[in-house]
Amino acid sequence: MKNLNRVHINGLRAVEAIGRLGSLPKAAAELGVSVSAVSQQLIRTEAQIGHAVFDRTRAGLVPTFFGKAFIARLEEGFQHLSRAVALADDVEQTLLLSVAPTFASKWLVPRLGRLRAAHPEMKIRIDPSPGVLDLKSSDIDLAIRLGSGEWRDGTPECLLPQRMFPVCTRAFAERLTGPADIFRQPIICYENPMFSWDEWQAAAGLDGPLAFDGPTFSDPWLAIEATISGQGIMLAWELFVEDTLADGRLVAPFPLRVPSNIAYWLVSPKNRKPTQQMQHFQAWIRAEIAEDIRAPTA
């Protein structure tokens, strides 16, 4: 490890943070220093190792061919260092969960009391992140994600498959006589949906383009609020709208619920030995999901 003597550890931390987060400002915010300080650490480190880690482009810093391999090794190294420090701080007693926000608020949080009753010694920190945090380069122990299960940073286990179907207010539903009426109604949309109306239309035996003349939102939560206010009809998934259906704020105007390719998944890090906390949580959530499936639906 003598080659480490010629490189400052703070400079390596700066390079790793820039590569992982994608920008100088984000790296500076994480490290708690100024953007100028991070920039100087990058320049100094590149000089010390004798290679450019990033190309400076109009779009920002882009890793060089060497930089990609260098940053990957740094990420792996700092992850090991973080775990070593965690042993001293007893952080491993706290289970770190990255959870899809809808699953966190509508499923997990209401059941935390039962988890604490089953495992009173367990400490949990929940990050309700809409993004996908890389399990290979973070301290996250387990992740619960919404998607198709195609993630390379971990091993996915399907928890809750989700079906899709239209929802609207009861007053809005009264103007609908059948599925074909959706062609004449405002459709509420949100950006980057994981499924499309095409699949539901095909299952309903409908053909033709929808108007999509309702409002479009960047966040599905805003879309559901617009639907609750009666502005149109929205294609939703089960867990997302189960409480609004239960309390009558929304209804499913048609009985057809179409299986989709999305589900909630429990994702475990690859090549990492599971802790006792992780094993306890995995067993608990599997049992809870199995109980939900056995429970009769209204």
Side-chain angles (χ1 to χ4, degrees):
M1 297 186 183
K2 291 183 179 180
N3 58 350
L4 291 178
N5 294 335
R6 62 188 176 92
V7 184
H8 293 295
I9 190 69
N10 284 344
L12 295 178
R13 287 184 64 204
V15 171
E16 187 275 336
I18 297 168
R20 173 166 45 83
L21 300 174
S23 74
L24 290 172
K26 290 180 180 179
E30 178 175 280
L31 297 173
V33 298
S34 68
V35 173
S36 176
V38 173
S39 178
Q40 289 301 314
Q41 287 171 343
L42 170 60
I43 294 171
R44 187 179 302 116
T45 301
E46 288 181 321
Q48 289 169 344
I49 64 177
H51 291 278
V53 181
F54 297 96
D55 285 326
R56 279 68 171 172
T57 71
R58 290 184 178 180
L61 296 176
V62 178
T64 62
F65 180 79
F66 164 80
K68 291 178 181 178
F70 187 65
I71 292 167
R73 291 293 182 90
L74 287 180
E75 288 181 357
E76 182 180 353
F78 279 111
Q79 186 178 6
H80 285 297
L81 288 174
S82 178
R83 289 176 188 160
V85 174
L87 291 176
D89 292 341
D90 202 26
V91 172
E92 203 166 314
Q93 295 302 312
T94 299
L95 184 69
L96 305 180
L97 298 176
S98 173
V99 186
T102 298
F103 191 93
S105 63
K106 296 182 181 295
W107 194 95
L108 182 58
V109 171
R111 291 169 172 80
L112 285 180
R114 295 211 287 268
L115 176 59
R116 289 181 61 83
H119 300 285
E121 79 291 347
M122 185 181 294
K123 299 177 183 178
I124 294 183
R125 182 162 65 86
I126 297 174
D127 177 12
S129 173
V132 176
L133 299 179
D134 192 336
L135 296 180
K136 294 184 298 184
S137 59
S138 72
D139 293 331
I140 297 297
D141 294 308
L142 294 168
I144 298 175
R145 297 172 177 170
L146 178 66
S148 61
E150 297 177 355
W151 299 289
R152 297 183 178 180
D153 64 328
T155 302
E157 174 185 344
C158 187
L159 291 177
L160 278 178
Q162 296 294 295
R163 296 179 296 176
M164 56 183 172
F165 53 97
V167 293
C168 61
T169 62
R170 189 172 301 278
F172 196 97
E174 290 176 355
R175 72 178 76 167
L176 306 174
T177 60
D181 287 346
I182 63 172
F183 291 106
R184 296 183 294 275
Q185 308 302 327
I187 305 295
I188 294 176
C189 301
Y190 57 92
E191 296 175 359
N192 302 317
M194 295 185 179
F195 44 75
S196 73
W197 275 95
D198 292 342
E199 299 170 73
W200 191 87
Q201 286 180 249
L206 301 176
D207 186 26
L210 297 177
F212 293 114
D213 54 356
T216 298
F217 300 92
S218 62
D219 189 326
W221 290 95
L222 297 178
I224 202 67
E225 289 299 325
T227 307
I228 292 171
S229 68
Q231 297 180 40
I233 188 167
M234 173 186 176
L235 189 66
W237 65 97
E238 288 170 310
L239 187 62
F240 188 55
V241 293
E242 65 176 7
D243 57 341
T244 60
L245 296 176
D247 63 24
R249 285 178 291 165
L250 293 176
V251 299
F254 316 116
L256 178 63
R257 297 192 179 192
V258 178
S260 73
N261 65 345
I262 69 165
Y264 287 98
W265 301 77
L266 177 64
V267 187
S268 307
K270 291 181 177 178
N271 303 321
R272 188 193 307 181
K273 183 179 179 180
T275 64
Q276 188 177 54
Q277 300 277 38
M278 293 166 65
Q279 293 173 331
H280 285 332
F281 181 83
Q282 288 168 320
W284 173 81
I285 198 170
R286 289 171 188 141
E288 287 286 323
I289 294 290
E291 183 64 27
D292 283 356
I293 293 174
R294 286 194 298 268
T297 57

